[in-house]
Amino acid sequence: MRIYLAPIRGITDCIYRNTFGRYFQGVDAAVAPFISSVQGRKIKAAYLRDILPENNRDMPLIPQVLSNDPDDFLFLAQQIFALGWQEINWNLGCPAPMVANKHRGSGLLANPERICQVLDKVLQFYPGQISLKVRLGRDSPTELERLLPILDQYPLSEIIIHPRLGVQMYKGVPDLEAFRRCLPLTRHNLVYNGDIIDVPSFASRQKSFAGIHHWMIGRGLLANPFLADKIKNGEICLKIGNVPDILKKFHNELLDQYKIRLCGDSHVMGRMKGLWGYLADFFANPAKIRKKINKIRRITDYQNAVDNIFTRKNYK
Ligand SMILES: Cc1cc2nc3c(=O)[nH]c(=O)nc-3n(C[C@H](O)[C@H](O)[C@H](O)COP(=O)(O)O)c2cc1C
């Protein structure tokens, strides 16, 4: 079994991924939040910094690309390969209207011809491996059902499917029956991604899809970083202390690094508030914790507040 940490822009940057890798077991690799180019010929410095090998020593990484243009994609793929990464992931799932309206991310799923143009070009010159991360479609699951057989002609490493539509964003529930319909439509290895939030939600999907051995988890791991370990090992493998201690140390290390990397209290607080949007669910009263954290402006106040949260009485 393989478990990937899903890309969550705004949270799973290199600081988060590496710190996660030092504290928690069970995740085999992370896919990075997407990188795109500026006018086809430049990668933003912040995007590049996030995938530099020296900034990614503690978690195996697969960089991700967002593009709908053969030359632009090839440029990005070659830049990433030159850094030393052997595999890239192509984002064909992003539901954000700003992305999808421009026929990128999930907005490209209804256009297999364009997808083929990109793959034809890139696979001709790019020596690495490519995987795809897709949704069922932007507007209809027939988009992926039509695309999958066409993709059989390409040597893809795997296809990660988040079984929602782009227009759904993150609403509703994953369409497991639509995912099932995808299974016979492809020769490629499929990875299931979506709403695995605890061991039972993983176990029921594992039971439903016996042929799936690779899983991707995003929000569930942000809310419970021990989840992959629990899924793989049945219980948490505590190498360096008890659960509250590890979680607190993990959090404090993230905070220390963001204080160095980001400029000023409001940026650091923005980042930590984003994290608590998910991590609060680890605790007994998530709504109360979110409310408390969201009110805080200064890092010193924040540090006092989180010291209180990380006390045993708050754990479920
Ligand atoms: C705030 C946010 C940012 C995301 N950023 C990305 C991204 O950069 N690339 C990508 O492929 N998916 C992105 N996703 C989608 C996740 O990787 C994942 O597919 C989705 O959350 C469903 O999996 P989960 O239920 O395990 O979280 C993002 C999701 C959220 C909520």
Side-chain angles (χ1 to χ4, degrees):
M1 186 199 306
R2 219 173 145 69
I3 297 182
Y4 296 107
L5 173 65
I8 306 273
R9 176 162 297 290
I11 310 268
T12 66
D13 59 7
C14 62
I15 289 180
Y16 184 92
R17 297 189 303 263
N18 284 300
T19 314
F20 190 107
R22 288 195 293 277
Y23 279 88
F24 304 105
Q25 323 283 317
V27 169
D28 298 280
V31 172
F34 66 76
I35 287 180
S36 54
S37 68
V38 183
Q39 286 155 2
R41 276 289 166 259
K42 205 168 161 259
I43 302 177
K44 264 208 236 166
Y47 283 170
L48 206 53
R49 191 172 54 225
D50 191 57
I51 61 159
L52 289 177
E54 60 265 36
N55 293 339
N56 287 280
R57 294 206 197 285
D58 295 325
M59 171 74 86
L61 184 71
I62 302 168
Q64 187 186 64
V65 160
L66 180 81
S67 178
N68 62 5
D69 177 84
D71 294 313
D72 176 54
F73 191 119
L74 183 61
F75 166 76
L76 288 165
Q78 285 175 331
Q79 297 283 313
I80 293 168
F81 191 79
L83 293 176
W85 303 110
Q86 306 287 322
E87 180 171 348
I88 50 171
N89 177 264
W90 187 9
N91 180 325
L92 288 171
C94 184
M98 259 177 57
V99 169
N101 287 344
K102 290 185 190 156
H103 307 288
R104 299 191 298 171
S106 67
L108 204 56
L109 287 169
N111 191 346
E113 298 74 18
R114 187 66 169 179
I115 291 172
C116 290
Q117 280 169 15
V118 171
L119 288 173
D120 285 336
K121 173 91 187 213
V122 173
L123 288 167
Q124 199 183 339
F125 298 104
Y126 166 70
Q129 297 265 315
I130 299 181
S131 64
L132 307 186
K133 184 165 180 284
V134 302
R135 287 192 174 221
L136 297 172
R138 186 179 188 204
D139 298 301
S140 157
T142 55
E143 293 170 30
L144 185 60
E145 286 169 20
R146 191 172 150 229
L147 176 65
L148 282 174
I150 298 173
L151 293 173
D152 272 1
Q153 63 187 298
Y154 298 106
L156 304 171
S157 58
E158 54 193 4
I159 302 175
I160 303 158
I161 300 182
H162 175 51
R164 277 191 172 88
L165 293 172
V167 287
Q168 267 184 278
M169 302 294 286
Y170 294 95
K171 294 200 190 86
V173 289
D175 186 344
L176 300 184
E177 282 318 304
F179 181 78
R180 186 185 304 287
R181 287 200 298 278
C182 292
L183 301 177
L185 298 178
T186 179
R187 72 175 177 91
H188 291 300
N189 286 332
L190 295 185
V191 181
Y192 174 89
N193 165 235
D195 294 40
I196 295 174
I197 53 162
D198 51 20
V199 174
S201 57
F202 169 77
S204 73
R205 282 158 175 79
Q206 191 183 38
K207 200 166 159 222
S208 299
F209 307 119
I212 300 293
H213 304 292
H214 293 185
W215 307 86
M216 173 175 270
I217 309 177
R219 294 165 298 171
L221 276 169
L222 304 190
N224 179 2
F226 298 97
L227 180 58
D229 193 8
K230 256 182 139 176
I231 286 172
K232 283 190 176 171
N233 301 316
E235 57 186 271
I236 301 168
C237 166
L238 296 173
K239 287 196 171 159
I240 44 168
N242 57 36
V243 165
D245 269 358
I246 295 171
L247 204 59
K248 186 174 174 183
K249 281 184 187 153
F250 167 66
H251 165 278
N252 289 349
E253 207 176 307
L254 282 178
L255 177 63
D256 288 345
Q257 292 177 83
Y258 287 128
K259 284 195 315 203
I260 295 167
R261 171 67 63 83
L262 302 171
C263 225
D265 281 26
S266 73
H267 283 109
V268 176
M269 285 310 305
R271 186 53 69 123
M272 300 315 286
K273 284 177 187 178
L275 181 72
W276 281 99
Y278 301 97
L279 191 59
D281 285 325
F282 196 86
F283 295 86
N285 199 335
K288 196 169 147 197
I289 288 176
R290 279 190 196 100
K291 195 168 163 199
K292 186 171 185 171
I293 297 280
N294 281 335
K295 276 194 206 148
I296 300 171
R297 299 224 166 142
R298 291 199 328 230
I299 295 175
T300 44
D301 299 333
Y302 173 76
Q303 266 160 329
N304 292 332
V306 289
D307 280 346
N308 279 325
I309 293 169
F310 284 114
T311 51
R312 227 166 248 280
K313 68 177 172 31
N314 282 322
Y315 286 85
K316 277 179 188 162

